Amino acid sequence: MEHDDVQQQPWLHDLSLTLAAPTQVWSAADGQVGGPGARSGLEGVLHGERRVISVLRLDVDGREPAAVASHSVRGDSTTYVAVPRHLGDPGPDPTVRVERQRHVEPGLVRERYIISSTAAEPVACTLGLLVGADLAPLDGVKAGTGRAPVAPEGVGGHVLSWQQDALRAVLRLPGAHTTHDGDHARATWEVVVPPGESVTHELLLTLDDTRAAVTAPSREPGWNHVEVQSSDRRLGPVVERCLDDLRLLRLAAPGADGVEEEFVGAGAPWFLTLFGRDSLWTARMLLPVSTDLAMSTLRLLAHRQGTRTDDVTAEEPGKILHEVRSAGFSLNEADEDGGDRHLPPVYYGTIDATPLWALTLHDAWRWGAPDDQVERLLPALERALAWAVEHGDADGDGLLEYVDRSGHGLSNQGWKDSGDAVRRSDGSRARAPLALSEVQGYAYAAAVRGADLLEAFGRSGTDQWREWAERLRGEFAQRFWVEDALGAFPAIALDRDKRPVVSLTSNIGHLLGTGILDPDGVDVVARRLVGPDMLSGFGIRTLSTQAAGYSPTGYHVGSVWPHDTAICLSGLAAEGRPEAGPVADALLAALAAFDGRPPELFAGDARSAQPAPLPYPAACRPQAWSAASAVSLVSSVLGLRPDADGLVVDPVQPWAFGETRVSGLGLHGRPQDIEVGADGAVAGTDR
């Protein structure tokens, strides 16, 4: 089948990103943005939900310099080095170079162009910059659709500008001469570089969207500084890079009384906004670093908690939202009637965000979040628990299930939300309403731990939630267990006829640590997760290689997602299972292979077949819960958990990381130094 004439989602795996949410610059590896040489349909300067600048190409005397190297110490700054080979002394040694320094802040992009020379004579040249804008909506860019350029205002001067709706972009080019180049603009600087010296020019782009649903936080993160020193030299750099990316993914939105609340946007480039599931998992994984992030995320989602029933938005009383945008977002896939699936600006189509909200509140409390902050959210907790009974279990059978009643929303509403995510082992797709296995585990744990939290604060009604949870546990045990040639395991879901969807998936790993499994069930799940059909050597596959629908680059049907593996690892560690060791090794190998910036997902090929994880070309990176998986990894292998006496450290055995010292993790406001010896024994914790 030919695909050349089909609009396709841009690939990202070989692009360079400089980021400070909600502003991002995606370029080729040499720093060039868009134009005739573009490698991807994404390249450009993105701000919020628009691509503003689509072309930013540098040349010297009309020729693009030859790329030599690029480097990025932090995610918000990148330097690109190139050589204009037609300039300088004759001979093989380059004597003139062009350095392009890119720095991004929220709403601001600054580039400096430094031409330096060691040539024997002065070097004269024209530094040129082709600039174009299309102001394209992000969903159109994601779909691979083209958009006509938008001509700038101010050509002939040093300041160019574009404005459309609530978006305004202003580009300052000090000292440049600007001219029209079709619908683009061309800026030029006449340059003379004396021997042994350099000449610098720059641009400054400011961006503002007054209609934006989310903005940059007004303050720096109050997170503990985390440092990892280990005999396993992969650990420290991975954690440092992932925390830097999480810092740059931070966003904010107004909560109750207009108070700014901080959260972590789901991921670049498409999902730099508030996502219930993603932002909660990220905050939950970062609890050893900060409870403040979790509490602000919880407050913001509680402020948006559902109050009415609306099939178009999937809102229901007590329900936690799926995502927020300033405008609707097209999914660029057909619905059942052949129309376009598209989401409204505020969309609640998620089955798991509500129990995950309850679990995150409980866990934040256990990790030391202030009692007064927790207590103010207890009414929202009660509404969330009530939602599970009154709306999450729509047919009253004791299980949580979902179905898209609008006809144009998400057809699957768990974390695996692609249209083909829930398949039987023969490859056929299950039809909604669907009751996902892991959601039953979340709901059980949310009811039990929610009851514990309510009881601790003297609230009534706790017995009903424990009784409801036990009924759910019984229904799960009776209805979800299936068998294949290798033995028993929980099905991924029950279909609309309440038949088990027999397929071995990573979903079962999310059941560990929830309490919904008995000891025998824990043993089965742990062993099945590390079988050769599930554990690739770089993580746990989303679908067993034995399934007919398995594809190593299938989005949810064979790929590996770092956060998914981290959740499985956390459950294995919580259950005290030895399988935690090989899963931790696989996850760390993947994080290190991507230089500490793990993508949303990667291919599920076996490590024995591919010595490095194969990129999924369209995967977002950085992505919040993928980055947070590095912290979750460290927390899991150290066996960190809070109890009444403080922080418990119980490293997984056998210990495979050598002498390790970790500082900055701990209970709220009380980071500790944790030392583990080469034998895995805790050498000490300083409180």
Side-chain angles (χ1 to χ4, degrees), residues 20-97:
T23 305
Q24 7 175 8
V25 182
W26 290 84
S27 72
D30 60 0
Q32 300 283 43
V33 175
R39 296 283 302 276
S40 166
L42 169 65
E43 291 179 23
V45 178
L46 281 60
H47 182 73
E49 297 172 47
R50 303 281 277 278
R51 177 173 63 190
V52 182
I53 301 297
S54 53
V55 178
L56 205 61
R57 298 195 74 87
L58 189 70
D59 64 71
V60 179
D61 296 329
R63 310 181 195 182
E64 293 196 2
V68 175
S70 67
H71 56 85
S72 176
V73 176
R74 290 163 41 119
D76 55 5
S77 298
T78 310
T79 297
Y80 307 91
V81 180
V83 171
R85 300 189 66 179
H86 66 288
L87 295 179
D89 295 343
D93 297 342
T95 54
V96 179
R97 69 173 61 168

Side-chain angles (χ1 to χ4, degrees), residues 198-214:
S198 63
V199 173
T200 300
H201 290 286
E202 68 176 8
L203 69 76
L204 185 69
L205 174 67
T206 55
L207 303 146
D208 183 47
D209 185 353
T210 58
R211 197 180 60 177
V214 300

Side-chain angles (χ1 to χ4, degrees), residues 453-503:
L453 182 51
L454 292 170
E455 186 174 70
F457 282 86
R459 311 280 285 206
S460 62
T462 56
D463 288 346
Q464 67 170 314
W465 299 121
R466 294 190 178 107
E467 291 168 2
W468 180 84
E470 282 308 307
R471 290 194 295 272
L472 171 58
R473 192 172 190 265
E475 288 292 324
F476 183 88
Q478 182 178 356
R479 304 173 70 176
F480 273 82
W481 283 90
V482 295
E483 290 190 2
D484 63 7
L486 298 178
F489 62 92
I492 183 176
L494 303 185
D495 67 12
R496 64 180 177 180
D497 299 318
K498 299 301 179 180
R499 296 176 303 168
V501 180
V502 182
S503 185

